Amino acid sequence: MYQIRIGVGDLRSKAMFESERETQVVFGEKFDLLERGDAYSLIQSQDHVKGYIKTNIITEYTDKSYKLRRFHSHPEIKLPFGSYVSKEEAEKYKIPENKLVRVSNNNFSVCDLSMEFIGVPYLWGGTSEFGYDCSGFVQRLYKFTGVQIPRNSGSQRDFTETVDNFDSAKPGDLVFFKGHVGLYLGDGNMIHANGNSASVSVNNLFDGSKYSKNLHEIFEKIGRVTKSL
């Protein structure tokens, strides 16, 4: 198994920088190396996404003890929320104890976690607080609570159990639209990484605004996460 040596690494659709960003891995996430190349190597992430990543940022995976509850900056590296570190890496990068959580500690609310990222820029293919896309945002939140869900919104939609209506919806459910997903907070509110605000923001689905009406026109389903990949 392998990991990256920097905070965040892009997986590209082709072995070139100009190709589309498929997704990202953060520090300490392990992946399989399928084909090593000079400039780019083909890898497969834990959520089964394949893509090309720069070869010079790949390194051997080491077992992890902690995950990062907060962003941490060190002269050698910038580690986003959800990164995984060993005890030695925590010491090397001088990560304070209040930013570290045991990997086994999954006692967190995805809704509470989500509110800390309001204003984070929207980034196609992004899965870190340097920039999220809609499905990367909800996936990262759930992964921090120990639940691995698929990477893209279509697969997430098919992976979740259908909730009949908003009266039955609970905070933490996922709301699916054509090509989009958000995290339901309750009382008609949804937090999502979106192109409308170009950031992570909260919107009320029943406020009568033009945007909420547009969302209702492309609404597909409410889904409940009941399992892990």
Side-chain angles (χ1 to χ4, degrees), residues 112-164:
D112 290 344
L113 290 170
S114 71
M115 300 303 290
E116 299 176 19
F117 302 103
I118 291 176
V120 168
Y122 178 87
L123 177 68
W124 179 268
T127 70
S128 84
E129 63 195 288
F130 299 134
Y132 287 114
D133 68 14
C134 64
S135 54
F137 179 51
V138 298
Q139 185 196 46
R140 179 64 61 197
L141 294 171
Y142 265 101
K143 185 167 185 179
F144 195 81
T145 69
V147 179
Q148 180 73 66
I149 63 175
R151 174 62 181 90
N152 64 65
S153 61
S155 297
Q156 291 173 355
R157 179 195 60 218
D158 297 339
F159 185 76
T160 53
E161 288 191 7
T162 300
V163 176
D164 290 338

Side-chain angles (χ1 to χ4, degrees), residues 98-110:
N98 64 355
K99 293 184 179 181
L100 296 172
V101 176
R102 284 281 179 183
V103 170
S104 58
N105 182 358
N106 298 317
N107 190 27
F108 295 91
S109 159
V110 289

Side-chain angles (χ1 to χ4, degrees), residues 30-222:
K30 56 186 175 183
F31 53 81
D32 294 315
L33 178 60
L34 304 180
E35 182 182 323
R36 185 181 291 273
D38 292 335
Y40 281 84
S41 293
L42 180 63
I43 71 168
Q44 180 170 279
S45 59
Q46 285 183 289
D47 52 7
H48 313 307
V49 177
K50 294 180 181 179
Y52 291 90
I53 196 166
K54 289 184 177 180
T55 301
N56 63 3
I57 67 171
I58 296 174
T59 188
E60 293 282 342
Y61 176 79
T62 56
D63 289 336
K64 308 303 177 187
S65 300
Y66 307 101
K67 51 191 174 185
L68 261 70
R69 179 70 177 80
R70 296 280 189 277
F71 169 82
H72 179 69
S73 181
H74 182 270
E76 293 184 32
I77 197 168
K78 289 179 170 58
L79 297 171
F81 163 81
S83 298
Y84 297 87
V85 296
S86 64
K87 181 179 179 181
E88 293 74 23
E89 289 165 338
E91 293 173 352
K92 176 182 178 180
Y93 299 126
K94 295 180 171 53
I95 305 173
E97 287 188 10
N98 64 355
K99 293 184 179 181
L100 296 172
V101 176
R102 284 281 179 183
V103 170
S104 58
N105 182 358
N106 298 317
N107 190 27
F108 295 91
S109 159
V110 289
C111 293
D112 290 344
L113 290 170
S114 71
M115 300 303 290
E116 299 176 19
F117 302 103
I118 291 176
V120 168
Y122 178 87
L123 177 68
W124 179 268
T127 70
S128 84
E129 63 195 288
F130 299 134
Y132 287 114
D133 68 14
C134 64
S135 54
F137 179 51
V138 298
Q139 185 196 46
R140 179 64 61 197
L141 294 171
Y142 265 101
K143 185 167 185 179
F144 195 81
T145 69
V147 179
Q148 180 73 66
I149 63 175
R151 174 62 181 90
N152 64 65
S153 61
S155 297
Q156 291 173 355
R157 179 195 60 218
D158 297 339
F159 185 76
T160 53
E161 288 191 7
T162 300
V163 176
D164 290 338
N165 50 51
F166 280 99
D167 289 336
S168 302
K170 297 178 180 179
D173 287 342
L174 301 181
V175 188
F176 294 96
F177 310 87
K178 184 178 180 180
H180 188 59
V181 62
L183 180 72
Y184 192 62
L185 299 173
D187 298 323
N189 293 309
M190 175 183 74
I191 186 168
H192 56 149
N194 63 91
N196 184 64
S197 66
S199 66
V200 174
S201 64
V202 175
N203 290 95
N204 187 284
L205 294 166
F206 303 97
D207 63 2
S209 66
K210 181 179 179 181
Y211 184 54
S212 66
K213 290 178 180 178
N214 289 341
L215 288 174
H216 278 277
E217 290 177 0
I218 58 171
F219 171 79
E220 291 185 337
K221 85 167 205 178
I222 305 166

